């Protein structure tokens, strides 16, 4: 039988449950709803916490006290104290319920400068060592506790099944058994053993299993996409980590952005309530993800009873106007749209977690035993564990002529853009959301890969030279080239295929240059997922996957070099927790697939002394090179595959147009004739709210060369009724990721004038402001396109469009042209 009930170590305590009942009876609807609202710290004051009885707050990636990324523990504690005091203030006659503060510490405390950052989960998975997982949790809990925070939005227990997904590196493995083994250990590390006095003690934090459920199994690996697994696969594969996390006593579960068969998880009553709470027996709280409730069908950011009724207990609302959601939810509780029973169940779960965490007795955050101890952030003992994890995560794919391990007395040239690049080696979720633009000033005490090599070699009497471009005066004995993926997080890391840096040959050229000069080459590959690297493998004598090793890059040299006595210092022992592709379009590729035929199978990893079986003649053909034509047809009498027409109304109601008519709450599309039968589409907005009509696709399209070729988005248009308000033409790469041009004046000027052609130069589309405030440049967006054409309007509007395309080599650069 699917969804068998889990037996958690944390049992319901009758005394605690009686206390919850006592608190609930004293609470007003206003107080209850306040517990269900979680604003972001940028938009909530201590006075707000008191006035609205706020139960929890969060800081998103890169969100820090006073907007100062170099804030010390004392700065975090000052705000945490203010929030806590406000939550315990009973001067208004309300009861005291301590606030919780949640943060994303997914590979260490990534928001705190100076903290220990571990190898990302994919590399930790390659260790196959659950004892290390528990230590990661323990250290993370300690460093969070220094800042006075209570709650970690970790671990991510996704089972990534399509490596094109931008969050693959957050997954320990493609195999559910390994994820299940690790998840419970991480929960114990963060919260403490549920059978001990350490459980949720002042040196521990509340943990969160996320994101429930199926995020690692979306169609084409698109972040926030649609998981089409049947229920058996959902249970067998994607629920594995939740089972062990619940057994270990995890106190919160975060709902996922993705959908399951088209229904968004934040509003999925069957999965959140029937499965998670009833069938699996989870009695903690369910928290939403960053405004995730706003994508539920029929809902908006400030009006979403559907999510609470489905089983969400806390809205994570990252918006300056979060009070609108508070007031609307309060209204719905009072009117019965959200039943009193459901409201009480949500608050009961929140109170249960707070009582188990003993927040009433822990007192002010600044008074807790680890608070303000800056010396614990990046403490030497913590860094030693992180360095051990780096050592155990390294996977040797090739070792021709037993080149590795190296003597430290050699003349070593270190090259490549990853050699002395702390931003590249720490990856996403490091100081800021995407992990980009960081320097060593952001990681005091950290060690880059180069620094580790330099220390190992020079301490042994050898010579180490750094040249990113691979230049030298004296021919080296060996060249170490460090290269790979640049930092990314979430949807920004989605790719169409697993071809490393398509069109950029600098890495392979560097490897080939050394090989042509007869210099032995060691390739160190920085990556958050398996990639097609046949060319790089052929051009290397030894090849090591080093993942994204975090702040302790010195662990790589520990394994790479022998002792001065020519002995192996540390063995190389990492084994792949993901299958490795033979071609860039090989995926999805997972152990157990029919016709499973990877380049390197799950569990592969050479040891020193093992005979090398990999030749230098791997197939380098890869993808047949796709040169985009001068004209990209998107709609010509019909949507051109892979595109289809997608409608979205004001209530997040969506429909794919499969027949002659499609309709959502605010917009409809119908088939009409222009020149021949059914060669155009009429779009009508009813003026009742936001409506979007897009030509969309299930898989990201790499269209970057159009941006670089003086291209334009061109379409034929007939305006039957002029717009009464703003109209936008949009290009999109996913939820909260789009760029647009205002065409209101152009549409108004041609109303009633018959068919016209509108050409919009692609360089007019501005940079994108995405979640967490990230700016994405147009050329970056055009490598991730899901919607190459969309029309957005809120007012009444009636138009017909036809013949939509992108065309290169247009003369009207920087212009909108009507013909």
């Amino acid at each position: 039988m699917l969804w068998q009930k889990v037996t958690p170590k944390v049992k319901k305590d009758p005394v605690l449950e009686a206390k919850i009942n006592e608190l609930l009876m004293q609470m007003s609807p206003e107080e209850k709803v306040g517990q269900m609202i979680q604003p972001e710290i940028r938009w909530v004051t201590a006075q707000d916490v008191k006035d609205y009885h706020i139960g929890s707050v969060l800081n998103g990636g890169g969100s820090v006290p006073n907007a100062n990324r170099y804030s010390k523990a004392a700065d975090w504690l000052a705000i945490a104290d203010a929030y806590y005091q406000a939550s315990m203030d009973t001067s208004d006659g309300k009861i005291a319920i301590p606030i919780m503060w949640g943060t994303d510490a997914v590979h260490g405390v990534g928001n705190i400068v100076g903290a220990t950052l571990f190898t990302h989960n994919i590399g930790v998975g390659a260790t196959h060592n659950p004892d290390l997982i528990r230590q990661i949790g323990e250290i993370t809990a300690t460093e969070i506790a220094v800042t006075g925070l209570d709650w970690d939005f970790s671990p991510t227990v996704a089972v990534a099944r399509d490596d094109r997904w931008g969050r693959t590196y957050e997954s320990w493995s493609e195999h559910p058994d390994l994820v299940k083994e690790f998840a419970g250990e991480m929960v114990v590390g963060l919260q403490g053993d549920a059978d001990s006095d350490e459980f949720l003690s002042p040196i521990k934090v509340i943990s969160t299993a996320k994101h429930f459920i199926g995020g690692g199994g979306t169609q084409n690996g698109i972040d926030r996409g649609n998981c089409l697994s049947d229920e058996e696969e959902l249970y067998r594969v994607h629920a594995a980590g939740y089972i062990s996390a619940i057994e270990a006593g995890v106190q919160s579960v975060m709902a996922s952005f993705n959908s399951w068969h088209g229904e968004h998880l934040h509003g999925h009553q069957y999965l959140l309530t029937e499965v998670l709470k009833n069938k699996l027996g989870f009695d903690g709280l369910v928290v939403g993800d960053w405004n995730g409730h706003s994508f539920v069908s029929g809902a908006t950011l400030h009006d979403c009873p559907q999510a609470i009724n489905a089983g969400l207990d806390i809205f994570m609302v990252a918006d300056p106007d979060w009070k609108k959601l508070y007031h609307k939810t309060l209204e719905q509780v009072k009117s019965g749209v959200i039943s009193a029973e459901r409201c009480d169940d949500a608050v009961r779960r929140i109170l249960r977690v707070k009582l188990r965490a003993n927040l009433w007795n822990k007192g002010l955050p600044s008074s807790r035993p680890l608070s303000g101890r800056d010396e614990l952030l990046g403490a030497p003992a913590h860094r030693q564990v992180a360095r051990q994890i780096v050592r155990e995560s390294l996977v040797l794919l090739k070792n021709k002529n037993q080149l590795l391990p190296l003597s430290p007395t050699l003349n070593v040239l270190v090259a490549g853009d990853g050699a002395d690049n702390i931003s590249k080696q720490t990856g996403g979720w490091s100081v800021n959301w995407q992990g980009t633009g960081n320097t060593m000033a952001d990681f005091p005490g950290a060690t880059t890969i180069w620094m580790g090599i330099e220390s190992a070699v020079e301490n042994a009497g050898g010579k180490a030279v750094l040249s990113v471009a691979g230049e030298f005066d004296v021919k080296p004995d060996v060249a170490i080239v460090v290269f790979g993926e640049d930092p990314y997080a979430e949807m920004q890391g989605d790719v169409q295929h697993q071809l490393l840096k398509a069109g950029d040959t600098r890495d392979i050229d560097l490897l080939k240059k050394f090989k042509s000069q007869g210099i032995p080459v060691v390739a160190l590959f920085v990556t958050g997922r398996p990639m097609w690297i046949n060319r790089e493998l052929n051009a290397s004598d030894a090849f090591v996957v080093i993942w994204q090793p975090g702040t302790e890059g010195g662990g790589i040299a520990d394994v790479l070099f022998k002792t001065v006595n020519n002995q192996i210092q540390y063995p190389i022992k990492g084994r792949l927790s993901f299958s490795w592709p033979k071609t860039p379009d090989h995926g999805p590729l997972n152990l157990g697939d029919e016709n499973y035929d990877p380049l390197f199978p799950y569990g592969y990893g050479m040891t020193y002394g093992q005979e090398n079986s990999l030749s230098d003649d791997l197939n380098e053909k890869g993808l047949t090179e796709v040169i985009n034509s001068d004209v990209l047809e998107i709609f010509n009498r019909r949507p051109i595959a892979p595109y289809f027409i997608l409608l979205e109304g004001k209530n997040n109601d969506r429909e794919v147009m499969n027949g002659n008519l499609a309709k959502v709450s605010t917009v409809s599309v119908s088939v009409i004739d222009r020149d021949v039968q059914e060669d155009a589409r009429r779009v009508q907005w009813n003026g009742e709210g936001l409506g979007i009509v897009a030509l969309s696709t299930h898989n990201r399209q790499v269209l970057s060369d159009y941006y670089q070729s003086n291209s334009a988005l061109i379409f034929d248009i007939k305006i039957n009724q002029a717009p009464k308000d703003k109209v936008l033409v949009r290009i999109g790469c996913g939820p909260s990721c789009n760029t647009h041009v205002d065409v209101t004046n152009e549409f108004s000027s041609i109303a009633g004038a018959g068919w016209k052609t509108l050409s919009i130069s692609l360089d007019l589309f501005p940079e994108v402001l995405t979640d967490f405030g990230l700016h994405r440049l147009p050329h970056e967006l055009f490598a991730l396109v899901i919607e190459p054409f969309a029309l957005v309007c809120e007012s009444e509007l009636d138009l017909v469009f036809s013949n939509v395309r992108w065309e290169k080599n247009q003369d009207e650069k920087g212009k909108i042209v009507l013909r």
Side-chain angles (χ1 to χ4, degrees):
M1 184 179 76
L2 293 181
W3 307 114
Q4 297 181 19
K5 182 158 286 191
V6 177
T7 302
K9 280 190 172 183
V10 182
K11 311 297 183 185
K12 282 188 179 177
D13 179 352
V15 175
L16 185 145
E17 296 299 315
K19 177 63 176 177
I20 295 171
N21 290 334
E22 179 185 335
L23 290 169
L24 279 171
M25 286 190 292
Q26 298 176 64
M27 294 176 71
S28 65
E30 289 79 4
E31 291 170 280
K32 292 176 180 178
V33 171
Q35 291 298 306
M36 298 158 64
I37 303 291
Q38 184 182 90
E40 216 275 349
I41 63 168
R42 285 174 290 181
W43 300 303
V44 61
T45 65
Q47 189 64 45
D48 289 331
V49 170
K50 179 182 184 317
D51 293 344
Y52 292 89
H53 322 290
I54 296 302
S56 61
V57 295
L58 83 145
N59 65 288
S63 178
V64 292
N66 310 312
N68 177 14
R69 69 193 297 172
Y70 301 108
S71 293
K72 296 294 186 182
D75 301 308
W76 292 82
L77 288 164
I79 298 177
D81 278 358
Y83 286 154
Y84 186 89
Q85 288 170 324
S87 71
M88 301 299 282
D89 187 339
T90 59
S91 62
D92 57 359
K94 305 300 182 182
I95 64 173
I97 299 179
I99 196 169
M100 299 184 292
W101 184 337
T103 192
D104 283 292
V106 296
H107 70 130
V109 191
N111 281 314
I112 311 293
V113 167
T116 309
L117 294 189
F118 299 94
T119 300
H120 273 292
N121 281 354
I122 189 170
V124 179
T127 71
H128 294 264
N129 187 344
D131 292 337
L132 291 176
I133 291 290
R134 185 178 291 202
Q135 291 182 66
I136 291 173
E138 291 169 348
I139 291 168
T140 301
T142 294
E143 297 199 8
I144 291 175
V146 169
T147 64
L149 276 59
D150 318 278
W151 185 2
D152 184 12
F153 299 141
S154 170
T156 299
V157 299
V159 182
R161 304 288 283 181
D162 189 326
D163 302 342
R164 294 174 292 179
W165 186 36
R167 303 190 81 150
T168 296
Y169 67 79
E170 295 187 53
S171 173
W172 289 305
S173 179
E174 71 186 35
H175 200 295
D177 288 355
L178 187 61
V179 173
K180 184 176 182 180
E181 183 179 17
F182 278 16
E185 292 295 329
M186 186 66 176
V187 170
V188 172
L190 288 166
Q191 295 188 165
D193 192 319
D195 292 332
S196 73
D197 292 338
E198 190 182 56
F199 180 68
L200 290 178
S201 69
I203 63 171
K204 294 296 181 181
V205 295
I206 298 161
S207 70
T208 308
K210 67 180 187 181
H211 307 81
F212 192 80
I213 185 174
T218 59
Q219 186 178 19
N220 295 317
I222 291 180
D223 190 44
R224 308 185 183 188
N226 190 21
C227 177
L228 298 176
S229 299
D230 60 26
E231 191 167 357
E232 187 276 333
E233 183 179 1
L234 199 69
Y235 174 72
R236 176 176 51 83
V237 175
H238 298 291
Y242 296 97
I243 292 171
S244 64
I246 294 170
E247 287 174 342
V250 71
Q251 290 300 290
S252 66
V253 168
M254 184 179 289
S256 184
F257 268 113
N258 67 277
S259 302
W260 185 51
H261 291 275
E263 186 174 353
H264 198 277
L265 261 296
H266 278 67
H268 209 298
Q269 196 272 342
Y270 173 70
L271 290 177
L272 291 184
T273 297
E274 292 303 315
V275 168
L276 177 61
K277 294 181 175 180
N278 295 341
K279 295 185 178 183
L280 294 181
F282 174 64
D283 69 358
L285 65 85
V286 177
V287 63
D289 203 347
W290 187 275
N291 294 337
H293 61 278
S294 67
F295 298 98
V296 173
S297 179
T300 68
L301 179 59
H302 302 125
D303 181 2
C304 189
Q306 297 92 330
I308 299 297
N309 288 334
L312 196 75
D313 301 314
I314 296 178
F315 287 117
M316 183 186 288
V317 53
D319 181 75
D321 294 325
W322 59 266
K323 293 170 188 174
K324 293 180 180 178
L325 178 64
Y326 170 90
H327 289 299
K328 194 66 179 179
T329 305
L330 178 61
E331 174 190 313
Q332 290 157 350
V333 167
K334 289 182 174 180
S335 69
V337 172
I338 298 171
S339 70
E341 292 78 12
R342 173 75 271 267
C343 176
D344 281 357
D345 175 63
V347 178
R348 177 181 297 278
R349 290 170 176 274
I350 297 165
L351 295 175
R352 181 180 294 130
V353 172
K354 291 184 174 186
L355 284 165
R356 285 174 174 169
N358 200 25
L359 293 184
W360 275 265
N361 295 322
K362 281 183 179 176
L364 278 174
S366 63
S367 70
R368 298 170 191 172
L370 301 183
S371 296
R373 294 184 57 185
D374 285 302
E375 73 275 10
L376 293 176
L377 297 174
H382 298 175
R383 293 187 185 276
Q384 282 301 317
V385 173
R387 190 162 177 153
Q388 179 186 353
I389 293 166
V390 172
R391 291 195 293 262
E392 295 194 23
S393 71
L394 306 182
V395 179
L396 181 62
L397 299 183
K398 182 179 182 180
N399 197 15
K400 190 176 177 182
N401 300 321
Q402 299 298 309
L403 177 60
L404 294 178
L406 298 169
S407 167
T409 61
L410 298 175
N411 176 10
V412 180
L413 175 64
V414 181
D417 70 349
D420 197 31
N421 188 332
I422 193 68
S423 185
K424 194 180 187 87
Q425 77 180 51
T426 50
W429 296 105
S430 302
V431 179
N432 60 63
W433 178 35
Q434 293 294 308
T436 53
N438 294 323
T439 68
M440 286 299 289
D442 301 308
F443 301 94
T447 306
T448 66
I449 297 160
W450 154 249
M451 291 165 65
I453 294 172
E454 180 186 34
S455 175
V457 172
E458 296 195 350
N459 287 341
K463 180 182 179 182
V465 176
L466 173 67
S467 170
V468 171
E471 298 168 346
F472 56 86
D473 296 323
V474 178
K475 185 177 180 179
D477 297 317
V478 65
I480 299 174
V481 182
V482 191
F483 67 99
E485 288 196 296
D486 293 322
Y488 55 82
E490 298 193 39
M491 73 176 70
Q492 318 303 334
D494 286 0
V495 292
Q496 186 184 25
H497 47 65
Q498 289 165 263
L499 178 63
L500 178 65
K501 295 183 181 178
D504 186 341
T505 64
R506 284 175 293 180
D507 296 333
I508 185 64
D509 289 346
L510 192 56
L511 294 167
K512 287 182 175 179
K513 180 179 82 169
F514 292 133
K515 189 165 188 177
S516 69
Q517 295 171 323
I519 300 170
V521 180
V522 177
L524 302 182
F525 186 42
V526 180
T527 188
R529 60 185 139 211
M531 299 291 281
W532 182 72
I533 49 169
N534 287 19
R535 296 172 300 179
E536 291 81 2
L537 282 162
N538 285 343
S540 305
D541 295 288
F543 196 104
V544 185
V545 182
I546 65 172
W547 312 109
Q548 295 158 318
T551 54
E552 306 314 304
I556 294 159
D558 291 344
V559 177
L560 219 59
F561 290 94
K562 290 181 282 190
T563 67
V564 291
N565 298 321
N566 207 37
Q567 300 297 309
I568 292 176
Q569 185 173 199
Y570 290 96
I572 192 159
K573 56 197 297 187
R575 294 179 289 117
L576 296 176
S577 60
F578 284 82
S579 305
W580 207 277
K582 281 187 172 179
T583 64
D585 54 355
H586 198 171
L589 174 66
N590 298 289
L591 182 66
D593 288 350
E594 188 176 354
N595 302 317
Y596 179 70
D597 185 29
L599 179 63
F600 301 109
Y602 179 93
Y604 182 85
M606 296 176 63
T607 58
Y608 286 150
Q610 181 177 340
E611 183 179 352
N612 181 71
S613 60
L614 195 68
S615 65
D616 291 342
D617 60 354
L618 294 174
N619 187 346
E620 296 191 7
K621 184 176 181 182
L623 287 173
T624 301
E625 186 176 4
V626 177
I627 301 176
N628 289 318
S629 62
D630 285 349
V631 179
L632 171 68
E633 288 195 309
I634 303 167
F635 183 96
N636 186 352
R637 301 185 183 181
R638 67 188 188 285
I640 304 301
Y643 303 105
F644 53 85
I645 294 177
L646 176 67
L647 294 76
E648 181 177 337
K650 66 174 183 179
N651 298 323
N652 286 320
D653 43 331
R654 300 175 181 87
E655 184 173 340
V656 174
M657 187 175 189
N658 291 315
N660 292 334
L661 177 66
K663 186 177 183 180
V664 292
S665 57
T666 50
V667 65
S668 64
V669 180
S670 56
V671 172
I672 68 167
D673 302 343
R674 177 189 179 186
D675 299 319
V676 297
Q677 185 176 356
E678 298 184 356
D679 65 341
R681 299 294 182 267
R682 183 181 184 186
V683 188
Q684 294 172 283
W685 285 262
N686 60 21
E688 296 179 5
L690 182 69
I692 304 168
V693 174
L695 283 156
S696 188
T697 176
H698 290 304
N699 198 3
R700 298 196 183 279
Q701 306 298 307
V702 179
L703 304 177
S704 306
D705 60 330
Y706 285 96
Y707 185 74
Q708 299 162 356
S709 305
N710 293 335
S711 302
L713 166 59
I714 304 173
F715 55 94
D716 296 345
I717 191 82
K718 183 173 76 165
I719 307 298
N720 297 327
Q721 176 188 350
K724 297 182 179 179
D725 204 345
K726 185 181 295 185
V727 185
L728 305 176
V729 171
R730 190 174 82 177
I731 297 171
C733 62
S736 307
C737 178
N738 53 71
T739 181
H740 61 259
V741 170
D742 189 330
V743 293
T744 311
N745 291 338
E746 287 76 14
F747 278 21
S748 297
S749 70
I750 59 173
W755 282 99
K756 301 292 181 180
T757 298
L758 187 65
S759 174
I760 306 174
S761 177
L762 290 185
D763 63 359
L764 288 177
F765 288 90
E767 64 183 8
V768 182
L769 183 65
T770 63
D771 290 354
F772 299 117
L774 173 78
H775 290 272
R776 177 167 286 279
L777 299 175
H779 70 274
E780 296 172 318
L781 178 145
F782 289 162
L784 298 165
V785 173
I786 289 179
E787 295 176 354
F789 172 77
L791 296 169
V792 183
C793 186
E794 293 190 28
S795 69
E796 290 185 24
L797 176 61
D798 184 349
L799 60 78
V800 185
F801 73 81
S802 181
N803 197 19
V804 182
R805 65 272 189 196
W806 285 16
E807 289 192 20
K808 295 181 180 178
N809 305 315
Q810 299 299 297
D811 295 330
E812 297 90 2
K813 184 176 176 64
K815 298 179 182 178
I816 301 177
V817 178
L818 270 171
R819 302 185 183 93

